[in-house]
Amino acid sequence: MGSGSRPGTPGGTKAEATITKISSPSQLSIGCKAFFEKDGEIRQAEVLSIRDKAMRQNIQRTADDAPLDNSESKLEYEFYVHYVEFNKRLDEWVPDSRTRLDKPVTFPKKKNKAAHGGGQQTARDKKRKTNTGGSVATGTAPQTPEPVRHDDAVYTAPREVFSKEKEIEKLRTSGSMTQSTSEVARMKNLNLMEMGQFQIEPWYFSPYPIEYAYTPVLYICEFCLCYYANKTQYTRHRTKCTLQHPPGNEIYRKDDLSFFEIDGRRQRTYCRNLCLLSKCFLDHKTLFYDVDPFLFYILTQRDERGCHIIGYFSKEKESAENYNLACILTLPQYQRMGFGRVLMQFSYELSKAEGKVGSPEKPLSDLGLLSYRTFWSEMLVDLLVGYDGEISIDDLSQLTCFTVQDIMHALFSLDAIRYYHGQHCIVLSERVMEAHERFAKKKLRKVDSSCLKWTPKVFTQAELRYLQ
């Protein structure tokens, strides 16, 4: 967008951020950047919201608001902050006692006051149209709301209206969770979740109903994934809940691990609850409640009480791009135990059973790309080390069910593609072989294809009518 000034702004002067010191936390406003104590360190953070600590009511304040008057009553405030240069999952409510008043505060840019008597307008402003199609004359107030100016740094655009039809279309073309920037920017609405024997702190916002959000603890049944805001209600539900495993068909079992296949159309409530739960730990995706086009594969761990959910991945029933995975998640209490690798490997075992190559839904997130690149590289090196004879990229694709593009991406990341005697060949360096030897010594969980009891599903036109 080109540069320009808003109507009524003298000379189009650009607002500058203000850096100053404050004497009280009540002088902080939304959008300012102050310093707070965090884990024994002093970190700069941006204030996203302010609320009264006692009443737990949000106080929506801007940089233009006057400081709060708390001279008569000793009010205490909490600030919802995002730590600069840290992941969004660390955002939290902090008390005003953790504010460092000895550090400078950066306040956001302020709007310039409109000039009285009508200031000069640029040629671009004169040519701007109102919603009725008429031009804005100099010194004349427009009859309709002013159009949004995206090139004005201090002008906030109104929130985009959420369209159910558009989100359903995005869902059908891009996965079980669709992009929605207006939802991504929202603050966390859950403080703590209790699921079985674990208490989990959510990382991101999840659109649970308002009566369940902003409670001290949200109780979730680990078998049916129903949620409750009250401990008594949750205890009563546990006495009546008869589920001891996800409501689907068990298609894999080895040792204490099992996979269950669930049709999103037949078990809508469970799959919607699963999406709500997973959104607590996925930042750049926003769920929508249309789960009919997807199959969900739930990884569980068995004990005497039942099958406890570890993680899952979803898969489109009909994918034009041959995606074998739409969304994947390992719950935080089971992370760094190798279960993410099990989920990825299982998705390719299903592709082998279907007799076609597959790939995760693109584009991948940064962490998703790193995980898949590591998985592809380890599987390819393990296959190449034990293979005797010549092998082509197409042969690797048929043996692993990886796409040619994914194989080339992994080999280039290993720097294994070399040009020799007029042709390209695969060369594994000493560094790669050393990494493979370390990998071979690890006791990793692996999927045993002989334990998979599954036949690819064939859906009728009536069952796929939601795709029309």
Side-chain angles (χ1 to χ4, degrees):
M1 302 289 288
S3 60
S5 60
R6 293 184 60 193
T9 302
T13 304
K14 185 177 180 180
E16 298 293 341
T18 304
I19 301 177
T20 184
K21 285 192 175 183
I22 60 174
S23 59
S24 171
S26 62
Q27 295 177 279
L28 296 177
S29 62
I30 292 178
C32 72
K33 293 183 179 179
F35 287 86
F36 298 87
E37 295 180 357
K38 169 69 173 176
D39 298 333
E41 299 180 358
I42 300 176
R43 299 179 182 175
Q44 188 181 34
E46 179 182 358
V47 178
L48 302 181
S49 184
I50 305 174
R51 71 183 182 187
D52 183 351
K53 184 177 180 180
M55 301 300 295
R56 301 291 186 187
Q57 295 177 346
N58 284 4
I59 304 174
Q60 300 296 334
R61 303 180 61 228
T62 65
D64 295 328
D65 292 336
L68 298 176
D69 183 12
N70 61 350
S71 57
E72 297 181 359
S73 59
K74 298 295 184 180
L75 295 180
E76 295 183 356
Y77 301 101
E78 289 183 328
F79 305 95
Y80 190 85
V81 300
H82 167 68
Y83 295 103
V84 179
E85 298 182 356
F86 282 85
N87 192 278
K88 188 179 176 182
R89 71 180 64 175
L90 298 179
D91 295 2
E92 62 178 350
W93 286 100
V94 299
D96 53 11
S97 59
R98 286 170 54 181
T99 308
R100 292 301 300 261
L101 301 178
D102 57 330
K103 299 290 184 178
V105 178
T106 304
F107 287 94
K109 301 174 182 179
K110 294 184 178 181
K111 297 180 181 179
N112 292 324
K113 302 298 182 180
H116 296 287
Q120 293 184 350
Q121 289 182 313
T122 63
R124 177 178 179 178
D125 293 326
K126 292 179 181 180
K127 294 181 180 179
R128 281 174 52 202
K129 305 294 183 180
T130 63
N131 292 341
T132 58
S135 60
V136 180
T138 304
T140 304
Q143 299 299 319
T144 55
E146 183 182 16
V148 176
R149 286 288 303 280
H150 296 287
D151 57 335
D152 194 337
V154 299
Y155 191 77
T156 304
R159 182 175 176 179
E160 183 181 357
V161 178
F162 187 85
S163 172
K164 180 178 179 180
E165 290 76 18
K166 290 182 179 179
E167 287 300 314
I168 291 178
E169 185 61 23
K170 290 179 183 179
L171 171 71
R172 291 172 177 168
T173 57
S174 37
S176 60
M177 290 189 172
T178 56
Q179 296 285 352
S180 178
T181 55
S182 60
E183 292 289 341
V184 170
R186 299 180 71 172
M187 301 181 302
K188 285 190 293 187
N189 57 341
L190 299 175
N191 296 320
L192 195 65
M193 303 165 59
E194 185 173 309
M195 190 174 178
Q197 60 179 339
F198 299 100
Q199 284 192 337
I200 315 167
E201 183 178 350
W203 296 348
Y204 308 111
F205 170 87
S206 182
Y208 279 95
I210 189 63
E211 59 268 24
Y212 297 96
Y214 304 104
T215 57
V217 180
L218 182 68
Y219 300 91
I220 300 178
C221 176
E222 59 181 333
F223 296 109
C224 67
L225 302 185
C226 291
Y227 43 88
Y228 300 89
N230 185 277
K231 179 71 171 179
T232 303
Q233 295 175 346
Y234 170 72
T235 304
R236 184 189 308 160
H237 165 79
R238 289 298 307 132
T239 60
K240 298 180 179 180
C241 184
T242 58
L243 278 181
Q244 292 183 326
H245 58 77
N249 298 324
E250 187 178 13
I251 61 175
Y252 178 89
R253 178 186 291 185
K254 184 178 181 181
D255 299 331
D256 60 341
L257 297 183
S258 294
F259 270 96
F260 290 83
E261 181 184 58
I262 301 178
D263 190 332
R265 187 181 183 187
R266 296 187 177 184
Q267 298 292 341
R268 287 176 181 159
T269 300
Y270 181 89
C271 294
R272 289 172 180 174
N273 290 341
L274 178 62
C275 290
L276 283 171
L277 175 63
S278 64
K279 180 59 188 73
C280 292
F281 311 104
L282 298 174
D283 182 21
H284 299 291
K285 299 289 185 180
T286 300
L287 66 91
F288 195 76
Y289 288 96
D290 187 3
V291 294
D292 290 12
F294 299 93
L295 296 170
F296 295 81
Y297 295 90
I298 317 297
L299 174 61
T300 64
Q301 191 170 36
R302 296 189 316 276
D303 61 14
E304 64 279 358
R305 296 190 298 115
C307 297
H308 309 272
I309 180 173
I310 294 175
Y312 84 101
F313 70 88
S314 59
K315 176 183 178 181
E316 290 181 279
K317 294 178 181 177
E318 285 291 329
S319 175
E321 296 82 5
N322 286 331
Y323 290 143
N324 64 359
L325 185 144
C327 184
I328 184 172
L329 172 72
T330 303
L331 293 177
Q333 62 267 34
Y334 294 104
Q335 291 181 1
R336 303 188 68 84
M337 298 182 184
F339 292 117
R341 178 187 174 84
V342 172
L343 290 168
M344 289 186 285
Q345 187 177 358
F346 192 79
S347 68
Y348 281 103
E349 290 297 334
L350 297 183
S351 296
K352 291 179 182 179
E354 292 175 324
K356 58 184 181 182
V357 298
S359 181
E361 184 178 303
K362 306 298 192 307
L364 291 169
S365 64
D366 294 339
L367 292 177
L369 178 59
L370 180 62
S371 300
Y372 262 98
R373 182 189 297 162
T374 303
F375 173 74
W376 291 329
S377 300
E378 292 174 347
M379 296 297 291
L380 289 173
V381 172
D382 187 59
L383 176 61
L384 291 171
V385 169
Y387 192 85
D388 186 15
E390 295 185 354
I391 190 171
S392 65
I393 299 297
D394 291 333
D395 294 335
L396 288 174
S397 179
Q398 293 178 4
L399 291 173
T400 60
C401 286
F402 299 168
T403 63
V404 173
Q405 293 79 5
D406 293 340
I407 293 175
M408 294 300 296
H409 177 84
L411 292 178
F412 274 113
S413 68
L414 295 173
D415 193 21
I417 302 295
R418 304 294 175 83
Y419 189 75
Y420 183 72
H421 283 188
Q423 64 178 355
H424 290 88
C425 58
I426 301 175
V427 179
L428 301 180
S429 63
E430 294 183 2
R431 177 181 57 85
V432 173
M433 294 302 299
E434 291 174 358
H436 172 69
E437 292 176 0
R438 293 193 299 269
F439 168 74
K441 295 178 181 179
K442 295 181 180 179
K443 296 182 179 180
L444 299 175
R445 301 176 184 269
K446 295 183 180 180
V447 175
D448 187 351
S449 58
S450 63
C451 297
L452 176 62
K453 309 299 180 183
W454 181 75
T455 302
K457 288 183 174 293
V458 178
F459 296 95
T460 64
Q461 189 64 30
E463 292 175 317
L464 296 176
R465 67 175 181 269
Y466 51 79
L467 294 175
Q468 298 177 351

